[in-house]
Amino acid sequence: AQSVTQLDSHVSVSEGTPVLLRCNYSSSYSPSLFWYVQHPNKGLQLLLKYTSAATLVKGINGFEAEFKKSETSFHLTKPSAHMSDAAEYFCVVSVGGSQGNLIFGKGTKLSVKP
Amino acid sequence: EPEVTQTPSHQVTQMGQEVILRCVPISNHLYFYWYRQILGQKVEFLVSFYNNEISEKSEIFDDQFSVERPDGSNFTLKIRSTKLEDSAMYFCASSLVGGGAGETQYFGPGTRLLVL
């Protein structure tokens, strides 16, 4: 069965420093993996997705994630945090063979200090 | 940029009452979904809908729940007799195509439902 574990419920960084949000997955199939972001009172916005092409995936707003099959990880990174990056981030795996059922991690709240 | 919209943003209801949550998916999308997130817990899949019928549903989606596309633009989730444990944020999503992994789902801002 597919599952996703986000290792940190809350991450706090200073503006201009790197961001690392950790995600591990479990999947019986070759997974499709996503990172979504939710700003307060906004919908879930897709940051990036991995669908078995390049293992290093670039997304919007300078974020990227690397699919590492040997480590079953899909960590999200950004070289330099901006105040506007403060939000909740969700790592998501798509259930293969379904009609698009997504399985969400519990979310990581990113705080950015000035 | 087209987006999924949901109304109302907040809904408070009494236990046992019926509620209808409304969503307007992106206009050319064909697949529609409902998810919910109970406070402090994960976002959970409820149901997917295509071609005017349910494609897939989770164990959560019992007989108290129903979905409908009453016209060409709206997609609704009805809870017939609300329970305290139905209190959650409900997200609607849509995708252009579906039926497999990797298709991007576009989410609305959610409706926060509180059952008293």
Side-chain angles (χ1 to χ4, degrees), chain B residues 20-31:
Chain B
I20 297 176
L21 309 183
R22 291 183 167 79
C23 169
V24 178
I26 294 173
S27 61
N28 62 337
H29 284 187
L30 301 176
Y31 291 78

Side-chain angles (χ1 to χ4, degrees), chain A residues 87-99:
Chain A
E88 186 142 26
Y89 292 78
F90 295 92
C91 183
V92 180
V93 64
S94 182
V95 177
S98 79
Q99 293 296 316

Side-chain angles (χ1 to χ4, degrees), chain A residues 1-23:
Chain A
Q2 282 84 353
S3 68
V4 171
T5 303
Q6 290 184 246
L7 297 156
D8 306 293
S9 58
H10 191 198
V11 169
S12 182
V13 301
S14 297
E15 192 174 21
T17 64
V19 175
L20 170 64
L21 305 183
R22 298 182 293 166
C23 172

Side-chain angles (χ1 to χ4, degrees), chain A residues 1-4 25-34 36 50-51 91-105, chain B residues 33 35 43-46 48 55-58 97-105 107:
Chain A
Q2 282 84 353
S3 68
V4 171
Y25 70 91
S26 170
S27 176
S28 307
Y29 303 87
S30 181
S32 291
L33 293 157
F34 307 78
Y36 280 86
Y50 165 78
T51 55
C91 183
V92 180
V93 64
S94 182
V95 177
S98 79
Q99 293 296 316
N101 181 350
L102 297 181
I103 294 177
F104 281 73
Chain B
Y33 313 84
Y35 293 79
V43 177
E44 303 170 290
F45 169 77
L46 292 179
S48 60
S55 312
E56 188 175 1
K57 60 183 181 179
S58 70
V97 295
E103 180 58 30
T104 299
Q105 294 182 23
F107 285 79

